[in-house]
Short mmCIF file of all heavy atoms in Angstrom, two decimals:
data_model
loop_
_atom_site.label_atom_id
_atom_site.label_comp_id
_atom_site.label_asym_id
_atom_site.label_seq_id
_atom_site.Cartn_x
_atom_site.Cartn_y
_atom_site.Cartn_z
N VAL K 631 -15.15 -92.15 -118.59
CA VAL K 631 -13.84 -91.55 -118.42
C VAL K 631 -12.87 -92.07 -119.51
O VAL K 631 -12.84 -93.24 -119.84
CB VAL K 631 -13.28 -92.00 -117.01
CG1 VAL K 631 -11.87 -91.55 -116.87
CG2 VAL K 631 -14.16 -91.48 -115.90
N LEU K 632 -12.17 -91.04 -120.13
CA LEU K 632 -11.24 -91.34 -121.17
C LEU K 632 -9.88 -91.28 -120.51
O LEU K 632 -9.13 -90.25 -120.52
CB LEU K 632 -11.38 -90.34 -122.31
CG LEU K 632 -12.74 -90.20 -122.92
CD1 LEU K 632 -12.83 -89.08 -123.96
CD2 LEU K 632 -13.11 -91.59 -123.64
N HIS K 633 -9.49 -92.42 -119.94
CA HIS K 633 -8.22 -92.45 -119.12
C HIS K 633 -6.99 -91.95 -119.92
O HIS K 633 -6.81 -92.26 -121.06
CB HIS K 633 -8.03 -93.92 -118.69
CG HIS K 633 -9.04 -94.40 -117.67
ND1 HIS K 633 -9.14 -93.96 -116.38
CD2 HIS K 633 -10.17 -95.25 -117.86
CE1 HIS K 633 -10.17 -94.56 -115.78
NE2 HIS K 633 -10.76 -95.30 -116.72
N GLY K 634 -6.22 -91.15 -119.15
CA GLY K 634 -5.03 -90.59 -119.80
C GLY K 634 -5.24 -89.27 -120.38
O GLY K 634 -4.29 -88.47 -120.58
N PHE K 635 -6.48 -88.82 -120.73
CA PHE K 635 -6.72 -87.51 -121.31
C PHE K 635 -7.13 -86.58 -120.21
O PHE K 635 -8.12 -86.80 -119.45
CB PHE K 635 -7.85 -87.65 -122.30
CG PHE K 635 -7.47 -88.17 -123.62
CD1 PHE K 635 -7.71 -89.52 -123.81
CD2 PHE K 635 -6.72 -87.48 -124.61
CE1 PHE K 635 -7.27 -90.17 -125.04
CE2 PHE K 635 -6.31 -88.06 -125.75
CZ PHE K 635 -6.62 -89.41 -126.04
N THR K 636 -6.36 -85.53 -119.97
CA THR K 636 -6.68 -84.51 -119.04
C THR K 636 -6.59 -83.13 -119.64
O THR K 636 -6.04 -82.98 -120.73
CB THR K 636 -5.72 -84.53 -117.77
OG1 THR K 636 -4.40 -84.22 -118.24
CG2 THR K 636 -5.75 -85.88 -117.13
N ILE K 637 -7.09 -82.09 -118.92
CA ILE K 637 -6.84 -80.70 -119.28
C ILE K 637 -5.46 -80.40 -118.75
O ILE K 637 -5.27 -80.11 -117.55
CB ILE K 637 -7.88 -79.79 -118.67
CG1 ILE K 637 -9.33 -80.16 -119.04
CG2 ILE K 637 -7.65 -78.33 -119.09
CD1 ILE K 637 -9.79 -79.74 -120.41
N SER K 638 -4.46 -80.48 -119.62
CA SER K 638 -3.07 -80.34 -119.14
C SER K 638 -2.66 -78.83 -119.01
O SER K 638 -1.62 -78.63 -118.33
CB SER K 638 -2.21 -81.08 -120.10
OG SER K 638 -2.31 -80.60 -121.39
N GLY K 639 -3.38 -77.92 -119.60
CA GLY K 639 -3.08 -76.56 -119.49
C GLY K 639 -4.33 -75.75 -119.62
O GLY K 639 -5.28 -76.21 -120.26
N ALA K 640 -4.33 -74.52 -119.13
CA ALA K 640 -5.54 -73.70 -119.20
C ALA K 640 -5.25 -72.27 -119.26
O ALA K 640 -4.40 -71.74 -118.50
CB ALA K 640 -6.46 -74.04 -118.08
N ASN K 641 -5.84 -71.53 -120.11
CA ASN K 641 -5.91 -70.06 -120.12
C ASN K 641 -7.37 -69.71 -119.80
O ASN K 641 -8.13 -70.60 -119.52
CB ASN K 641 -5.43 -69.50 -121.47
CG ASN K 641 -4.03 -69.81 -121.77
OD1 ASN K 641 -3.63 -70.40 -122.75
ND2 ASN K 641 -3.12 -69.42 -120.80
N GLN K 642 -7.72 -68.43 -119.89
CA GLN K 642 -9.03 -67.97 -119.33
C GLN K 642 -10.16 -68.75 -120.03
O GLN K 642 -11.01 -69.25 -119.34
CB GLN K 642 -9.16 -66.51 -119.50
CG GLN K 642 -10.43 -65.94 -118.84
CD GLN K 642 -10.36 -64.43 -118.49
OE1 GLN K 642 -9.29 -63.86 -118.43
NE2 GLN K 642 -11.53 -63.86 -118.35
N GLU K 643 -10.18 -68.77 -121.31
CA GLU K 643 -11.26 -69.47 -122.05
C GLU K 643 -10.77 -70.60 -122.95
O GLU K 643 -11.50 -70.95 -123.90
CB GLU K 643 -12.13 -68.42 -122.80
CG GLU K 643 -12.76 -67.40 -121.96
CD GLU K 643 -13.86 -67.93 -121.01
OE1 GLU K 643 -14.40 -68.98 -121.27
OE2 GLU K 643 -14.28 -67.18 -120.12
N HIS K 644 -9.58 -71.05 -122.75
CA HIS K 644 -9.00 -72.10 -123.50
C HIS K 644 -8.50 -73.20 -122.56
O HIS K 644 -7.77 -72.96 -121.67
CB HIS K 644 -7.81 -71.71 -124.38
CG HIS K 644 -8.06 -70.61 -125.39
ND1 HIS K 644 -8.21 -69.30 -125.06
CD2 HIS K 644 -8.17 -70.79 -126.76
CE1 HIS K 644 -8.42 -68.62 -126.22
NE2 HIS K 644 -8.39 -69.53 -127.23
N GLY K 645 -8.93 -74.47 -122.81
CA GLY K 645 -8.32 -75.58 -122.10
C GLY K 645 -7.53 -76.45 -123.17
O GLY K 645 -8.03 -76.56 -124.29
N ILE K 646 -6.42 -76.95 -122.77
CA ILE K 646 -5.62 -77.81 -123.57
C ILE K 646 -5.83 -79.27 -123.15
O ILE K 646 -5.41 -79.63 -122.03
CB ILE K 646 -4.14 -77.36 -123.59
CG1 ILE K 646 -3.96 -76.01 -124.14
CG2 ILE K 646 -3.31 -78.37 -124.30
CD1 ILE K 646 -2.55 -75.44 -123.94
N ILE K 647 -6.38 -80.11 -124.03
CA ILE K 647 -6.48 -81.54 -123.71
C ILE K 647 -5.29 -82.23 -124.32
O ILE K 647 -4.97 -82.08 -125.51
CB ILE K 647 -7.78 -82.12 -124.33
CG1 ILE K 647 -9.03 -81.56 -123.56
CG2 ILE K 647 -7.68 -83.71 -124.28
CD1 ILE K 647 -10.29 -82.17 -124.07
N SER K 648 -4.60 -83.01 -123.53
CA SER K 648 -3.55 -83.85 -124.10
C SER K 648 -3.58 -85.25 -123.39
O SER K 648 -4.29 -85.42 -122.44
CB SER K 648 -2.14 -83.17 -123.97
OG SER K 648 -1.84 -83.04 -122.57
N PHE K 649 -2.78 -86.10 -123.98
CA PHE K 649 -2.84 -87.50 -123.45
C PHE K 649 -1.60 -87.83 -122.76
O PHE K 649 -0.43 -87.57 -123.17
CB PHE K 649 -2.88 -88.45 -124.67
CG PHE K 649 -2.99 -89.90 -124.24
CD1 PHE K 649 -4.19 -90.46 -123.70
CD2 PHE K 649 -1.87 -90.79 -124.21
CE1 PHE K 649 -4.28 -91.76 -123.32
CE2 PHE K 649 -1.93 -92.04 -123.83
CZ PHE K 649 -3.12 -92.54 -123.32
N ASN K 650 -1.71 -88.30 -121.50
CA ASN K 650 -0.55 -88.77 -120.73
C ASN K 650 -0.98 -89.76 -119.72
O ASN K 650 -1.67 -89.49 -118.76
CB ASN K 650 -0.01 -87.55 -119.97
CG ASN K 650 1.18 -87.97 -119.04
OD1 ASN K 650 1.66 -89.06 -119.21
ND2 ASN K 650 1.61 -87.09 -118.21
N ASP K 651 -0.67 -90.99 -120.10
CA ASP K 651 -1.13 -92.10 -119.18
C ASP K 651 0.02 -92.55 -118.27
O ASP K 651 -0.01 -93.58 -117.63
CB ASP K 651 -1.71 -93.32 -119.97
CG ASP K 651 -0.65 -93.97 -120.85
OD1 ASP K 651 0.46 -93.40 -120.96
OD2 ASP K 651 -0.93 -94.98 -121.51
N GLY K 652 1.15 -91.83 -118.35
CA GLY K 652 2.25 -92.15 -117.54
C GLY K 652 3.18 -93.24 -118.13
O GLY K 652 4.26 -93.49 -117.64
N LYS K 653 2.75 -93.76 -119.25
CA LYS K 653 3.59 -94.75 -120.00
C LYS K 653 4.36 -94.02 -121.15
O LYS K 653 3.89 -92.97 -121.58
CB LYS K 653 2.70 -95.89 -120.56
CG LYS K 653 1.96 -96.65 -119.52
CD LYS K 653 1.04 -97.68 -120.16
CE LYS K 653 -0.07 -98.08 -119.23
NZ LYS K 653 -1.26 -98.57 -119.93
N PRO K 654 5.34 -94.63 -121.70
CA PRO K 654 5.96 -94.08 -122.89
C PRO K 654 4.87 -93.97 -123.98
O PRO K 654 4.04 -94.87 -124.14
CB PRO K 654 6.98 -95.17 -123.34
CG PRO K 654 7.32 -95.91 -122.03
CD PRO K 654 6.08 -95.85 -121.26
N VAL K 655 4.92 -92.83 -124.65
CA VAL K 655 3.83 -92.49 -125.61
C VAL K 655 3.62 -93.59 -126.66
O VAL K 655 2.54 -93.97 -127.01
CB VAL K 655 4.12 -91.14 -126.36
CG1 VAL K 655 3.24 -90.99 -127.52
CG2 VAL K 655 3.91 -90.04 -125.30
N SER K 656 4.76 -94.15 -127.07
CA SER K 656 4.68 -95.16 -128.15
C SER K 656 3.90 -96.41 -127.83
O SER K 656 3.43 -97.09 -128.70
CB SER K 656 6.08 -95.56 -128.63
OG SER K 656 6.80 -96.09 -127.51
N THR K 657 3.77 -96.69 -126.55
CA THR K 657 3.06 -97.94 -126.16
C THR K 657 1.54 -97.76 -126.12
O THR K 657 0.82 -98.70 -125.94
CB THR K 657 3.48 -98.41 -124.77
OG1 THR K 657 3.05 -97.43 -123.84
CG2 THR K 657 5.01 -98.60 -124.60
N SER K 658 1.14 -96.56 -126.32
CA SER K 658 -0.27 -96.34 -126.17
C SER K 658 -1.04 -96.20 -127.42
O SER K 658 -0.66 -95.44 -128.32
CB SER K 658 -0.42 -95.02 -125.31
OG SER K 658 -1.64 -94.36 -125.68
N ILE K 659 -2.10 -96.95 -127.57
CA ILE K 659 -2.93 -96.89 -128.76
C ILE K 659 -3.59 -95.53 -128.89
O ILE K 659 -3.56 -94.93 -129.99
CB ILE K 659 -3.99 -97.98 -128.74
CG1 ILE K 659 -3.38 -99.40 -128.78
CG2 ILE K 659 -5.03 -97.75 -129.83
CD1 ILE K 659 -4.33 -100.52 -128.56
N GLU K 660 -4.07 -95.02 -127.78
CA GLU K 660 -4.77 -93.69 -127.85
C GLU K 660 -3.88 -92.59 -128.41
O GLU K 660 -4.30 -91.78 -129.16
CB GLU K 660 -5.23 -93.29 -126.40
CG GLU K 660 -6.38 -94.01 -125.88
CD GLU K 660 -6.03 -95.34 -125.26
OE1 GLU K 660 -4.84 -95.74 -125.38
OE2 GLU K 660 -6.93 -95.97 -124.67
N ALA K 661 -2.54 -92.64 -127.96
CA ALA K 661 -1.68 -91.62 -128.37
C ALA K 661 -1.31 -91.75 -129.84
O ALA K 661 -0.87 -90.74 -130.44
CB ALA K 661 -0.41 -91.65 -127.51
N GLN K 662 -1.52 -92.88 -130.45
CA GLN K 662 -1.17 -93.05 -131.84
C GLN K 662 -2.32 -92.58 -132.73
O GLN K 662 -2.12 -92.44 -133.95
CB GLN K 662 -0.78 -94.49 -132.12
CG GLN K 662 0.54 -94.78 -131.50
CD GLN K 662 0.86 -96.27 -131.57
OE1 GLN K 662 0.35 -96.95 -132.45
NE2 GLN K 662 1.68 -96.79 -130.68
N GLN K 663 -3.50 -92.38 -132.21
CA GLN K 663 -4.55 -91.87 -132.98
C GLN K 663 -4.50 -90.37 -133.02
O GLN K 663 -4.20 -89.75 -132.05
CB GLN K 663 -5.99 -92.34 -132.39
CG GLN K 663 -7.08 -91.93 -133.27
CD GLN K 663 -8.46 -92.25 -132.61
OE1 GLN K 663 -8.50 -92.61 -131.44
NE2 GLN K 663 -9.47 -92.23 -133.40
N SER K 664 -4.71 -89.78 -134.16
CA SER K 664 -4.70 -88.33 -134.27
C SER K 664 -5.68 -87.74 -133.34
O SER K 664 -6.82 -88.16 -133.28
CB SER K 664 -4.94 -87.94 -135.72
OG SER K 664 -5.40 -86.63 -135.79
N ILE K 665 -5.25 -86.72 -132.64
CA ILE K 665 -6.09 -85.92 -131.73
C ILE K 665 -7.26 -85.31 -132.51
O ILE K 665 -8.31 -85.18 -132.04
CB ILE K 665 -5.31 -84.97 -130.93
CG1 ILE K 665 -6.07 -84.40 -129.67
CG2 ILE K 665 -4.83 -83.76 -131.77
CD1 ILE K 665 -5.94 -85.20 -128.50
N MET K 666 -6.96 -85.02 -133.80
CA MET K 666 -8.06 -84.40 -134.63
C MET K 666 -9.16 -85.41 -134.97
O MET K 666 -10.24 -85.05 -135.10
CB MET K 666 -7.47 -83.82 -135.93
CG MET K 666 -6.54 -82.64 -135.62
SD MET K 666 -5.81 -81.99 -137.09
CE MET K 666 -7.19 -81.23 -138.00
N GLN K 667 -8.67 -86.66 -135.17
CA GLN K 667 -9.69 -87.73 -135.48
C GLN K 667 -10.47 -88.10 -134.22
O GLN K 667 -11.63 -88.35 -134.28
CB GLN K 667 -8.93 -88.96 -136.05
CG GLN K 667 -8.42 -88.73 -137.43
CD GLN K 667 -7.48 -89.87 -137.90
OE1 GLN K 667 -7.12 -90.68 -137.11
NE2 GLN K 667 -7.17 -89.83 -139.20
N LYS K 668 -9.77 -88.05 -133.13
CA LYS K 668 -10.45 -88.53 -131.89
C LYS K 668 -11.39 -87.43 -131.39
O LYS K 668 -12.51 -87.78 -130.99
CB LYS K 668 -9.41 -88.74 -130.80
CG LYS K 668 -9.94 -89.41 -129.57
CD LYS K 668 -8.90 -90.05 -128.63
CE LYS K 668 -9.59 -90.77 -127.51
NZ LYS K 668 -10.15 -92.05 -127.86
N PHE K 669 -11.03 -86.19 -131.51
CA PHE K 669 -11.81 -85.06 -130.98
C PHE K 669 -12.04 -84.01 -132.04
O PHE K 669 -11.37 -82.95 -132.03
CB PHE K 669 -11.23 -84.50 -129.70
CG PHE K 669 -11.00 -85.43 -128.58
CD1 PHE K 669 -9.72 -85.52 -128.00
CD2 PHE K 669 -12.03 -86.21 -128.04
CE1 PHE K 669 -9.48 -86.37 -126.93
CE2 PHE K 669 -11.75 -86.97 -127.02
CZ PHE K 669 -10.49 -87.11 -126.38
N PRO K 670 -12.84 -84.22 -133.05
CA PRO K 670 -13.05 -83.21 -134.16
C PRO K 670 -13.58 -81.90 -133.51
O PRO K 670 -14.19 -81.95 -132.51
CB PRO K 670 -14.00 -83.82 -135.07
CG PRO K 670 -14.00 -85.30 -134.72
CD PRO K 670 -13.67 -85.45 -133.39
N VAL K 671 -13.33 -80.79 -134.20
CA VAL K 671 -13.88 -79.49 -133.77
C VAL K 671 -15.36 -79.66 -133.72
O VAL K 671 -16.03 -80.21 -134.58
CB VAL K 671 -13.51 -78.43 -134.83
CG1 VAL K 671 -14.35 -77.12 -134.59
CG2 VAL K 671 -12.03 -78.05 -134.76
N GLY K 672 -15.93 -79.19 -132.61
CA GLY K 672 -17.37 -79.30 -132.38
C GLY K 672 -17.74 -80.43 -131.46
O GLY K 672 -18.88 -80.54 -130.93
N THR K 673 -16.82 -81.38 -131.19
CA THR K 673 -17.06 -82.47 -130.23
C THR K 673 -17.37 -81.95 -128.85
O THR K 673 -16.73 -81.05 -128.35
CB THR K 673 -15.76 -83.33 -130.14
OG1 THR K 673 -15.41 -83.84 -131.42
CG2 THR K 673 -16.10 -84.57 -129.22
N GLN K 674 -18.37 -82.48 -128.23
CA GLN K 674 -18.71 -82.19 -126.84
C GLN K 674 -18.06 -83.16 -125.92
O GLN K 674 -18.14 -84.41 -126.15
CB GLN K 674 -20.22 -82.15 -126.60
CG GLN K 674 -20.84 -80.88 -127.23
CD GLN K 674 -22.22 -80.62 -126.71
OE1 GLN K 674 -22.90 -81.62 -126.29
NE2 GLN K 674 -22.70 -79.39 -126.70
N LEU K 675 -17.47 -82.69 -124.77
CA LEU K 675 -16.82 -83.55 -123.83
C LEU K 675 -17.28 -83.08 -122.43
O LEU K 675 -17.70 -81.98 -122.21
CB LEU K 675 -15.31 -83.46 -123.91
CG LEU K 675 -14.79 -83.95 -125.29
CD1 LEU K 675 -13.26 -83.49 -125.39
CD2 LEU K 675 -14.80 -85.46 -125.39
N LEU K 676 -17.13 -83.96 -121.45
CA LEU K 676 -17.41 -83.60 -120.06
C LEU K 676 -16.04 -83.71 -119.35
O LEU K 676 -15.21 -84.59 -119.48
CB LEU K 676 -18.39 -84.57 -119.43
CG LEU K 676 -19.85 -84.45 -119.78
CD1 LEU K 676 -20.62 -85.62 -119.27
CD2 LEU K 676 -20.43 -83.06 -119.33
N ILE K 677 -15.80 -82.73 -118.47
CA ILE K 677 -14.56 -82.64 -117.71
C ILE K 677 -14.94 -82.71 -116.19
O ILE K 677 -15.63 -81.88 -115.70
CB ILE K 677 -13.82 -81.28 -117.99
CG1 ILE K 677 -13.81 -80.95 -119.44
CG2 ILE K 677 -12.37 -81.41 -117.40
CD1 ILE K 677 -13.02 -81.91 -120.35
N LEU K 678 -14.35 -83.77 -115.55
CA LEU K 678 -14.53 -83.89 -114.11
C LEU K 678 -13.58 -82.85 -113.38
O LEU K 678 -12.43 -82.80 -113.83
CB LEU K 678 -14.22 -85.30 -113.62
CG LEU K 678 -15.07 -86.39 -114.26
CD1 LEU K 678 -14.59 -87.77 -113.62
CD2 LEU K 678 -16.56 -86.19 -113.98
#
Side-chain angles (χ1 to χ4, degrees):
Chain K
V631 173
L632 303 174
H633 293 285
F635 287 98
T636 62
I637 305 278
S638 56
N641 297 122
Q642 188 158 338
E643 298 292 345
H644 297 79
I646 294 171
I647 291 181
S648 64
F649 181 79
N650 177 11
D651 65 353
K653 299 174 201 157
V655 169
S656 57
T657 66
S658 149
I659 291 169
E660 286 83 353
Q662 289 173 26
Q663 186 184 13
S664 159
I665 194 88
M666 292 178 70
Q667 288 169 351
K668 188 161 184 78
F669 303 126
V671 169
T673 304
Q674 287 195 334
L675 298 166
L676 286 171
I677 316 294
L678 301 180

